[in-house]
Amino acid sequence: MLLIGNATVLTFDEETPIINNGAVLIEGIKIKEIGETEVLLQKYPNAVFKNARNKVLMPGLINTHTHLYSTFARGMNSKTDIPPQNFIEILEKLWWRLDNTLNEDDIYYSALFAILECIKNGVTTIFDHHASFNYIDGSLDIIAQAAMEAGIRANLCYEVSDRHGQTKSDASLKENERFIRKIQVSQNDKLGGMIGLHASFTLEDRTLNKASELADELHVPFHIHVAEGREDLQDSVKRGYMGVVDRLTKFKILRPHTLAAHGVHIKKEEIPMLKKSGAWVVHNPESNMGNAVGAAPIKDFFDHEILTGLGTDAYTHDMFESIKVANLLQKHQLGDPQAGWNEVYNMAFNNNMQIVSNLLGVEIGKIKENFRADLIIVDYIPPTPIEKDNVYSHILFGMNGGMVETVIIDGKIIMDDREVTILDYERIHRRTREQARRFWERF
């Protein structure tokens, strides 16, 4: 048993939201007991004790939309005479070329290094959306291998798109099917699978029909980009639909528990339709700002009780950063200093937890008895008291991923004193840089 004590424990449990000088006892993969440090020390004298004095102990963070394959884009020369001028050109000149260049080693090291960056920033669960049209069959197994080696929780999918032709589109659907069937018979509850789709404007009716039939057969939802750019909306209108939601609903893509990433250009008239579908939205504020596509109507989603989670779209692996920017973006967009406060908190600490519970089937996101022991220790010494009514203020204005000192997943210490313990981080870092250089030469 592992006992972490002398911490300010942020439980995210309404019954006892904060425990000063608190302790958490971990037995196996679950939280066995929480309470005051001295009480648990006396009760469990033989437990291994980890001292978290003057530090914050809280649940690991969850990222419900990211792209691990984007790792090698950092600092890369895009080799274009004219830089991208709009969202479509960003896709065509950068991302679609990148995902069509990846080979087996690229997939592995870009995933592994990105996962390690997630861990170093206190993220213990990710929902990844993968594309590698030069290497489709078996690509999700490569990412799953990286995830398991690093010890993180991961829900994976392959991005189906018709932009490279029907043959590769069909192969992408088969990769989703192969991986999901494999996951469904495995005993590994750290891995999950969904059917990945790129976006409505790169998907033809035939592919949407095949994907919908496959989802019915496998009993899984989708992970898809929805109305990220205005071009997605315009394409659906050109096809005779009200908008993207209208088209995807007609093909039963938007169904219970489907993750609809972005949602920036969903028409107001379509929001009740989205609610009725049972699909969920994942907000990615920094990516939307960086691509200049706009700001998602988060308040409208909440007003219609559409469950909305928070991701990063791989713009960062620091969910503390995404929380901060999501809060600021809503205030800026709506001209209201009160906007985004409750919504962003719920996205990061309630809704992401619900998404994991439903799609991975594990209870995480709270420090509560019998919940999985996915925890982080944050080296945060506040200038003011942390109390039950100001916990979120301290997270929002005081914490960042660089303060994360220890990461525990399923009761196992993955990072301790800012050093990744499960893998040789320095060796992987060196090998990743070598692989990135090779990738840049091929790009």
Side-chain angles (χ1 to χ4, degrees):
M1 290 188 291
L2 174 65
L3 180 62
I4 305 171
N6 295 325
T8 299
V9 180
L10 309 182
T11 68
F12 293 90
D13 182 10
E14 293 180 1
E15 292 182 10
T16 313
I18 182 171
I19 305 173
N20 290 305
N21 194 28
V24 174
L25 182 72
I26 299 169
E27 184 175 43
I29 63 174
K30 293 186 177 182
I31 296 168
K32 180 178 176 65
E33 193 170 341
I34 59 174
E36 295 180 359
T37 299
E38 293 305 318
V39 173
L40 293 188
L41 274 172
Q42 292 180 13
K43 191 172 180 180
Y44 301 99
N46 295 322
V48 176
F49 182 72
K50 182 170 181 59
N51 193 349
R53 188 178 302 280
N54 296 324
K55 294 165 187 173
V56 169
L57 178 62
M58 61 185 286
L61 299 173
I62 300 163
N63 184 346
T64 46
H65 181 71
T66 191
H67 297 281
L68 299 175
Y69 73 83
S70 67
T71 299
F72 294 160
R74 191 183 305 179
M76 184 179 69
N77 182 349
S78 61
K79 301 177 184 177
T80 57
D81 294 335
I82 302 173
Q85 303 299 303
N86 54 53
F87 179 56
I88 292 297
E89 289 190 4
I90 291 171
L91 295 176
E92 292 175 342
K93 293 187 175 186
L94 175 59
W95 298 117
W96 291 353
R97 289 171 59 206
L98 185 149
D99 68 47
N100 204 34
T101 306
L102 295 165
N103 64 25
E104 182 176 0
D105 287 339
D106 298 329
I107 295 167
Y108 175 73
Y109 283 102
S110 61
L112 185 58
F113 189 80
I115 289 168
L116 291 176
E117 285 207 327
C118 290
I119 291 170
K120 287 170 77 70
N121 283 283
V123 174
T124 56
T125 300
I126 58 170
F127 284 69
D128 184 58
H129 199 280
H130 177 67
S132 54
F133 285 92
N134 189 48
Y135 193 103
I136 298 173
D137 186 30
S139 59
L140 294 182
D141 283 347
I142 297 170
I143 300 169
Q145 177 187 345
M148 291 304 94
E149 288 175 1
I152 203 168
R153 296 190 195 282
N155 184 293
L156 309 179
C157 70
Y158 190 96
E159 176 181 291
V160 177
S161 173
D162 288 308
R163 65 180 181 267
H164 295 296
Q166 183 175 316
T167 300
K168 289 193 174 183
S169 174
D170 288 346
S172 302
L173 270 175
K174 287 180 181 177
E175 174 63 5
N176 280 294
E177 179 181 6
R178 183 200 63 77
F179 183 74
I180 291 167
R181 290 191 187 280
K182 180 177 179 179
I183 290 298
Q184 287 177 340
V185 298
S186 76
Q187 301 298 314
N188 190 346
D189 63 6
K190 279 189 178 178
L191 286 176
M194 306 169 74
I195 298 174
L197 299 174
H198 175 244
S200 176
F201 76 97
T202 72
L203 293 161
E204 300 304 323
D205 291 358
R206 169 192 170 279
T207 301
L208 291 177
N209 274 321
K210 288 190 70 173
S212 184
E213 291 170 1
L214 180 60
D216 289 342
E217 182 181 344
L218 297 176
H219 305 290
V220 295
F222 295 93
H223 189 168
I224 177 173
H225 304 90
V226 175
E228 180 178 1
R230 190 174 300 278
E231 296 83 356
D232 204 12
L233 167 61
Q234 293 169 342
D235 178 79
S236 287
V237 171
K238 189 182 296 184
R239 293 174 188 263
Y241 298 92
M242 181 191 303
V244 181
V245 170
D246 185 24
R247 183 177 187 230
L248 295 177
T249 300
K250 294 291 193 330
F251 285 92
K252 292 172 55 184
I253 302 300
L254 296 182
R255 59 178 63 200
H257 303 171
T258 281
L259 295 184
H262 302 293
V264 176
H265 294 283
I266 291 175
K267 284 186 172 181
K268 281 186 176 292
E269 299 88 341
E270 292 182 298
I271 293 179
M273 193 182 303
L274 178 62
K275 167 62 178 176
K276 186 177 179 181
S277 75
W280 297 330
V281 174
V282 180
H283 182 39
N284 302 275
E286 291 173 291
S287 173
N288 295 158
M289 294 170 74
N291 288 328
V293 295
I298 298 301
K299 186 176 185 305
D300 289 339
F301 296 153
F302 273 80
D303 287 346
H304 285 81
E305 297 182 340
I306 296 169
L307 190 139
T308 304
L310 186 66
T312 67
D313 203 29
Y315 195 93
T316 179
H317 297 299
D318 184 350
M319 283 299 295
F320 288 106
E321 184 180 305
S322 191
I323 290 166
K324 288 175 171 62
V325 176
N327 178 64
L328 292 172
L329 177 56
Q330 290 304 300
K331 289 171 167 52
H332 176 77
Q333 183 72 10
L334 299 176
D336 178 0
Q338 297 303 314
W341 182 264
N342 291 326
E343 291 86 353
V344 176
Y345 176 89
N346 279 307
M347 282 190 278
F349 299 110
N350 291 327
N351 298 348
N352 275 3
M353 177 180 68
Q354 187 172 333
I355 290 169
V356 171
S357 176
N358 280 274
L359 295 177
L360 282 175
V362 294
E363 289 187 305
I364 62 171
K366 291 183 181 181
I367 296 182
K368 188 174 182 178
E369 290 179 11
N370 292 318
F371 269 57
R372 293 298 183 92
D374 288 11
L375 309 173
I376 60 176
I377 298 174
V378 184
D379 188 9
Y380 172 61
I381 303 176
T384 57
I386 302 179
E387 300 171 341
K388 66 177 183 179
D389 294 328
N390 69 12
V391 166
Y392 183 44
S393 292
H394 281 278
I395 293 171
L396 192 61
F397 300 114
M399 296 185 191
N400 62 65
M403 294 178 176
V404 176
E405 177 185 274
T406 299
V407 175
I408 299 167
I409 303 176
D410 262 355
K412 184 175 183 178
I413 296 177
I414 302 298
M415 183 174 79
D416 194 19
D417 196 20
R418 292 187 171 88
E419 289 191 14
V420 176
T421 57
I422 195 168
L423 292 169
D424 185 343
Y425 179 81
E426 295 303 324
R427 183 193 65 79
I428 292 168
H429 186 198
R430 289 194 302 272
R431 183 65 181 83
T432 300
R433 291 187 68 174
E434 293 170 2
Q435 191 65 33
R437 180 68 68 183
R438 296 189 184 102
F439 176 84
W440 284 7
E441 291 171 356
R442 283 182 277 111
F443 181 76

